[in-house]
Amino acid sequence: MIPPAFDIDGADQRHVWHPYTQHGIVDPPVAITRAEGAYLHDASGRAVFDAISSWWVTLHGHAQPEIAAAIAEQARTLEQVIFAGFTHEPAVRLAEALVERAPAGLTRVFFSDDGSTAVEVALKIALQHWQHRGEERRLIVALENAYHGDTFGAMSVSARGVFTDPFASHLFEVARLPDPVADDVAGALEDLIASRGRDIAAVIVEPMLLGAGGMRVWPADKLQALRAITSRHDIVLIADEVLTGFGRTGPLFACEHARIAPDVMCLSKGITGGFVPFAATLATEALFDGFRSADRKRTLFHGHSYTANPIACAAALASLALLDARSAERRRAIQRAHEAAVGRLSALPGVHDVRVLGTMIALDLTVSDRGYLSGIGPALRSFALERGVLLRPLGDTVYLLPPYCSTSEDLARAYDVIAEFTEGR
Ligand SMILES: *Cc1c(COP(=O)(O)O)cnc(C)c1O
């Protein structure tokens, strides 16, 4: 007897709670059975170009054989071990490899599980650092329109809005610098230091690119100015490279655009090539030294069950090995394709502010009801999906952030879909 086929759609509707999903109105989710390169394949055999790297994680391509092999090999050798009092080669090799590639001075690596926890660790390092110094510095400074994750500390430093409203009363106070795309953030930081300088523990930024805040590019010279001011006033600068790390914006890290080194750097998303959840928070030796003591109270009291999971470390090492000159050339090819499409996309009806940073291209659509809840996103998402392209607009912002294996034909198909959508409206 043939067993009945598993009713994935029915069981999903009965038992699963999806992220950022209003189950009362959305279409049922698409079941994906396998993925390869830049494509997702559904049960009916349809192939979908993953133009957003499955929420910004897939780096080289889906099912990249080198990473899959490294994971399988590691799973057979050492799948997990407590990371307090024990260590293992994949974690140590990875820490060394990240330090070699990171901006100068970031010599210590703390592992965790996702972008939000990488940010929590960064905030805790900065806050505890000042307690060790015997100074009452508690204030965190963050940018307007920032996004740093969904846990409480990460939400606190993120822009307040529909994502955070239900929790507003439980979020800690943050000082805001204005939007770095349009405004004088450096001047605003100088002003803030003049009034509350002795309170400021750290400044946290998404270098060069406000990601979830609308894929908005901000200038390298403003980032340089923030680094200069924070250095001068001994304020910890945290660079959240959870999205921008590992080549998304061209160079390996977005800080390289401004030739700056932060005091703390958060990495996740693409760190394992997009295979398994993982994150790292890098810090300077000076910060680490403030915690190294005979006094147990100076311990960094943070850790997760799966800290430095060996399988994740092996995946990350395999992914780093793939970030070679060939990968850099592929990223440049994607950037050239994006740049060549700017003219055509800018000329489309209702399209404005087309921008490119490395492998990212974004544009804004003119709509009457602006913001994340604007109706344009779902409409374009289903329009594109019907044509075999995965897009997920952020409000009225449409963007591509494709895996590095994407070809010029794949990209052309995504540009075409955006063009058809705007012309047909
Ligand atoms: C996605 C993101 C985060 C949060 O990462 P998660 O893995 O979703 O917790 C933090 N910072 C930035 C800049 C991000 O884009």
Side-chain angles (χ1 to χ4, degrees), residues 104-108 125 203 227 230-231 234-239 260-265 282-287:
L106 296 166
T107 53
R108 291 285 167 175
I125 290 174
V203 174
R227 172 70 287 188
T230 49
S231 294
D234 211 13
I235 294 166
V236 176
L237 179 65
I238 303 169
I260 62 130
D263 303 298
V264 180
M265 186 162 87
L282 278 63
T284 60
E285 203 64 17
L287 284 170

Side-chain angles (χ1 to χ4, degrees), residues 110-347:
F110 190 99
F111 293 111
S112 64
D113 303 329
D114 53 59
S116 302
T117 54
V119 168
E120 298 289 339
V121 172
L123 296 173
K124 285 170 90 168
I125 290 174
L127 291 170
Q128 201 177 334
H129 158 75
W130 287 109
Q131 288 179 23
H132 294 167
R133 298 255 305 241
E135 288 191 42
E136 291 268 317
R137 295 196 184 210
R138 298 206 184 102
L139 185 62
I140 306 288
V141 179
L143 300 177
E144 205 58 72
N145 295 322
Y147 178 74
H148 297 291
D150 286 355
T151 52
F152 276 84
M155 272 196 292
S156 296
V157 290
S158 297
R160 305 297 162 89
V162 280
F163 297 1
T164 58
D165 280 346
F167 319 105
S169 60
H170 289 69
L171 303 181
F172 60 70
E173 184 214 346
V174 167
R176 289 280 161 203
L177 298 180
D179 185 294
V181 180
D183 298 316
D184 176 15
V185 269
L189 180 59
E190 298 272 24
D191 292 347
L192 185 68
I193 289 170
S195 60
R196 300 190 66 179
R198 307 304 305 172
D199 299 337
I200 301 174
V203 174
I204 182 166
V205 299
E206 290 163 275
M208 302 299 297
L209 182 66
L210 301 174
M215 292 294 170
R216 298 172 62 241
V217 181
W218 58 287
D221 60 346
K222 292 188 186 176
L223 179 56
Q224 278 165 350
L226 291 183
R227 172 70 287 188
I229 298 164
T230 49
S231 294
R232 205 178 319 126
H233 294 274
D234 211 13
I235 294 166
V236 176
L237 179 65
I238 303 169
D240 177 354
E241 294 236 15
V242 167
L243 163 62
T244 52
F246 305 104
R248 288 285 183 200
T249 72
L252 214 45
F253 301 106
C255 283
E256 292 174 35
H257 287 285
R259 295 180 302 280
I260 62 130
D263 303 298
V264 180
M265 186 162 87
C266 306
L267 300 173
S268 186
K269 292 206 164 116
I271 191 169
T272 61
F275 274 64
V276 289
F278 196 52
T281 303
L282 278 63
T284 60
E285 203 64 17
L287 284 170
F288 177 78
D289 271 339
F291 286 76
R292 197 205 310 253
S293 162
D295 181 355
R296 285 182 192 275
K297 289 205 291 293
R298 288 186 164 223
T299 304
L300 176 59
F301 292 111
H302 194 97
H304 296 279
S305 314
Y306 284 97
T307 297
N309 171 257
I311 295 171
C313 291
L317 278 168
S319 177
L320 276 184
L322 292 166
L323 283 168
D324 54 9
R326 234 180 86 211
S327 166
E329 180 44 48
R330 286 179 159 174
R331 303 200 298 272
R332 281 192 294 274
I334 292 171
Q335 177 169 349
R336 283 194 299 271
H338 286 342
E339 280 163 353
V342 169
R344 175 187 171 204
L345 293 174
S346 303

